[in-house]
Amino acid sequence: MVKLPTFYSALLLAVSCLTNVEAIDKVTRSGRYLYTSSGRFYIKGIAYQEQGAVVPGADNSFLEPSTFIDPLSDSDGCSRDLPFLQKLGVNTVRVYSVNSSLNHDSCMSALSGAGIYTIIDLALPLNGSIDRDSPSWSTNLLDQYLETINVFSKYDNVLAYNVGNEAIIANTTDVAPYLKAAARDVKAYLNSISSSALVGYAAIDGDSTFRVPVANFLSCDPSNSNSSSTSIDLYGLNNYEWCGDSSFEAAYAGVEGDYAGYNVAAYFSEFGCITSPPRLWTEVASLFSSQMSDVWSGGVAFSYFPATSAQGQFGMVNISSDGTTVTTGDDFTRLQAQYGNVTSPPNTPSQGSSSVTYPSCPGQNSSFAASTTLPPTPNEAACNCIESTFSCAFKPPTSNYSAIVGTLIDTACGLLGQAGSTCNDIGGNGTTGVYGRLSGCDPTIKLSFTMNEWYQLNGMQFEDCSFSGNGSVNPLGASGTAAAIAAETSCIASPSATFTPSLPSGISTASSSSGSSGSSDSGSNGAAPLLGEHQVLLGMLSVAFIGVASGIWTLL
């Protein structure tokens, strides 16, 4: 058990921040491998996020949290944990949800100074992700993803952004086109701001009959022109097959063969089986050896903080109730030893020695139902335009309305169905590749559309816009079915259009940087140092701080 004095912890973080001037090497992707200036790069990582509130239930079989705690905004927590992350020898942390409205400077700079990259998932719990049961790729999600990227674009140690985590399971492969559309639009935005951060996805393990086609789909080219525009750069597999003191042949030979010809970089986005304790972490030796380096570029051990799952309890440390003390467990000690043995993983092939290809997409079959026709880029201007034409719109009496939107959509669509109409304009189908004109709009606009359809269908009677007091008549809206259809056509002239998205209005661009990593068919972009203009002054200050810190440490 180690308890760092508060002053020393703050001082350590300050020194890490001040000395972070071009301190971290760029990571680039060339074909199916990652590289730095020193050669092959392997992710030697750990999942780093305290678990939010978990509400068990029939609709939450995965025990997914409904809230989250942003670890990268907690400067005290970062200063407390950084010595332990360094002790583990990790070079990457994976964070599952972040709050773009908070400040992350201290933690991100400290991690960079320690040579630690970040893999940041863009999704948020509940309504902030592509739902495997009712998928959509809509303006609210796109805006959320871009706002997060905008906030983190100034840091030099963002290795990748994940557009999803385990959203596709065996019976929901029709979700794949939505994830691929998200990767396409995020990638286009990153290119537009000259960011070289990678675009990734973390997949659930499972039967190879759906798992492998999903992986191939996410990295394929629907246009058959060897284009990377819709492909992910980094494929993660949450793999827990190595339990206890297993072996490569028993645990990993199959998965190694499954991805033998994969075309983009791949890693284990989670590993560390708990069903046959103790966790010995002997899989690390195989994962970073020539047995697996032809396919895999390392992995992320799960999890630094305690985490409850359907399988049991994870976690390598415990944090005291006052948040100051870290107590490490046996899992931590054993992983530290195994990571410490990873000193010279294979450094082949050399960068640029292999060709880059984006093959045609896998076809549909009984195990894989994804269409190669992807949802369009969500168009906020078009959605706002059509919203202004509604004669009846969603105007709730309370600002806390997120919980009722889905129920009201179901109610309105049920009424329309009974009247012989449909809600096809707001829906989509990842199997047929057919997406409604408003499928990319915010859920509240979709709700307004359904309410307006019912209102128009019933002769614009005032009571038919009530919906239990959540609807309001707009006297300036389009009057009559013909006028409504004309307005919709005018606002959404190209419902299947794809384009480079931009930040939502009112959001300012963050200070310049291009990320720490690059997906390149030819080269990569560099990152601007966070504090580069003051490197001489900061260097002098850091020397002074280090001197003081050394004195304090001597006295402890």
Side-chain angles (χ1 to χ4, degrees):
M1 181 175 72
V2 178
K3 181 175 181 179
L4 294 178
T6 302
F7 175 73
Y8 178 75
S9 296
L11 194 60
L12 178 63
L13 184 63
V15 171
S16 296
C17 293
L18 290 170
T19 56
N20 178 28
V21 179
E22 297 184 293
I24 197 163
D25 203 354
K26 290 184 300 181
V27 177
T28 62
R29 178 180 72 85
S30 180
R32 60 190 295 191
Y33 302 114
L34 304 176
Y35 295 91
T36 65
S37 60
S38 302
R40 279 282 301 273
F41 176 79
Y42 293 84
I43 295 168
K44 190 161 63 169
I46 192 165
Y48 182 69
Q49 185 142 29
E50 291 186 69
Q51 190 174 45
V54 176
V55 181
D59 59 348
N60 190 20
S61 58
F62 286 84
L63 295 183
E64 293 168 327
S66 57
T67 64
F68 72 96
I69 302 165
D70 182 351
L72 301 181
S73 67
D74 181 4
S75 58
D76 289 340
C78 278
S79 63
R80 176 199 65 210
D81 295 330
L82 185 59
F84 294 93
L85 296 175
Q86 291 176 301
K87 192 174 182 181
L88 273 178
V90 301
N91 62 18
T92 306
V93 294
R94 181 184 172 195
V95 179
Y96 293 78
S97 295
V98 294
N99 186 338
S100 62
S101 69
L102 301 179
N103 187 290
H104 305 87
D105 290 351
S106 294
C107 192
M108 289 296 290
S109 188
L111 291 171
S112 177
I116 297 175
Y117 301 89
T118 55
I119 296 174
I120 297 172
D121 286 31
L122 296 172
L124 299 177
L126 296 180
N127 299 322
S129 63
I130 296 174
D131 188 340
R132 67 173 67 91
D133 296 319
S134 182
S136 70
W137 176 231
S138 49
T139 56
N140 56 308
L141 293 178
L142 175 61
D143 288 351
Q144 171 191 305
Y145 285 18
L146 298 192
E147 287 173 28
T148 298
I149 292 170
N150 180 51
V151 166
F152 281 87
S153 63
K154 64 182 177 179
Y155 305 123
D156 66 356
N157 57 329
V158 177
L159 194 156
Y161 297 105
N162 282 337
V163 296
N165 176 67
E166 297 190 348
I168 308 168
I169 58 178
N171 62 345
T172 66
T173 56
D174 60 324
V175 178
Y178 296 92
L179 270 301
K180 195 169 179 68
R184 174 200 64 207
D185 293 339
V186 166
K187 199 168 192 177
Y189 177 73
L190 289 171
N191 288 336
S192 75
I193 62 171
S194 299
S195 171
S196 52
L198 306 177
V199 178
Y201 174 73
I204 193 170
D205 202 358
D207 193 277
S208 61
T209 57
F210 87 89
R211 173 174 43 81
V212 174
V214 165
N216 290 334
F217 181 84
L218 293 174
S219 65
C220 73
D221 173 25
S223 70
N224 295 317
S225 60
N226 200 34
S227 169
S228 65
S229 62
T230 67
S231 171
I232 59 171
D233 303 303
L234 185 63
Y235 173 81
L237 180 64
N238 297 339
N239 183 287
Y240 292 90
E241 292 187 67
W242 187 300
C243 298
D245 192 16
S246 189
S247 66
F248 169 79
E249 289 75 16
Y252 287 161
V255 75
E256 177 76 6
D258 289 341
Y259 296 92
Y262 201 50
N263 61 312
V264 301
Y267 73 115
F268 282 0
S269 39
E270 290 176 7
F271 71 91
C273 170
I274 59 171
T275 59
S276 298
R279 291 204 286 183
L280 302 176
W281 301 108
T282 47
E283 65 264 49
V284 168
S286 284
L287 186 56
F288 292 87
S289 74
S290 57
Q291 286 180 308
M292 302 185 70
S293 62
D294 282 350
V295 174
W296 305 99
S297 294
V300 173
F302 191 85
S303 152
Y304 181 81
F305 295 105
T308 300
S309 76
Q311 290 186 324
Q313 185 71 25
F314 290 88
M316 301 180 211
V317 306
N318 284 300
I319 309 298
S320 63
S321 58
D322 64 2
T324 62
T325 302
V326 177
T327 304
T328 60
D330 292 339
D331 277 3
F332 181 99
T333 303
R334 287 189 287 263
L335 180 62
Q336 177 190 358
Q338 292 293 339
Y339 269 169
N341 291 332
V342 180
T343 55
S344 300
N347 196 25
T348 55
S350 60
Q351 187 170 6
S353 61
S354 58
S355 60
V356 180
T357 59
Y358 298 93
S360 58
C361 298
Q364 294 175 319
N365 55 43
S366 59
S367 301
F368 183 71
S371 168
T372 56
T373 301
L374 309 183
T377 303
N379 189 332
E380 189 159 21
C383 292
N384 291 340
C385 171
I386 196 169
E387 182 183 30
S388 69
T389 72
F390 295 149
S391 296
C392 173
F394 177 53
K395 299 291 182 183
T398 174
S399 59
N400 186 22
Y401 57 78
S402 60
I404 64 172
V405 171
T407 300
L408 287 173
I409 288 178
D410 289 343
T411 298
C413 287
L415 292 171
L416 290 171
Q418 292 172 20
S421 187
T422 73
C423 279
N424 290 343
D425 277 331
I426 67 169
N429 189 313
T431 297
T432 63
V434 176
Y435 308 98
R437 290 177 295 170
L438 282 78
S439 62
C441 293
D442 181 280
T444 60
I445 296 179
K446 293 179 180 179
L447 173 55
S448 289
F449 174 82
T450 60
M451 294 168 69
N452 187 61
E453 288 285 286
W454 176 249
Y455 180 65
Q456 297 279 355
L457 193 62
N458 285 278
M460 302 177 66
Q461 298 298 312
F462 182 82
E463 62 272 15
D464 290 312
C465 186
S466 174
F467 287 87
S468 301
N470 289 291
S472 178
V473 171
N474 172 20
L476 301 178
S479 179
T481 303
I485 293 174
E488 293 167 15
T489 303
S490 175
C491 289
I492 308 178
S494 301
S496 61
T498 59
F499 54 89
T500 299
S502 58
L503 283 173
S505 59
I507 303 296
S508 59
T509 304
S511 57
S512 64
S513 175
S514 65
S516 66
S517 42
S519 162
S520 63
D521 298 337
S522 58
S524 64
N525 295 313
L530 181 61
L531 304 172
E533 294 182 0
H534 309 293
Q535 56 185 332
V536 176
L537 175 61
L538 292 177
M540 294 171 63
L541 287 173
S542 65
V543 171
F545 270 111
I546 291 169
V548 174
S550 299
I552 293 173
W553 183 253
T554 302
L555 295 174
L556 295 177

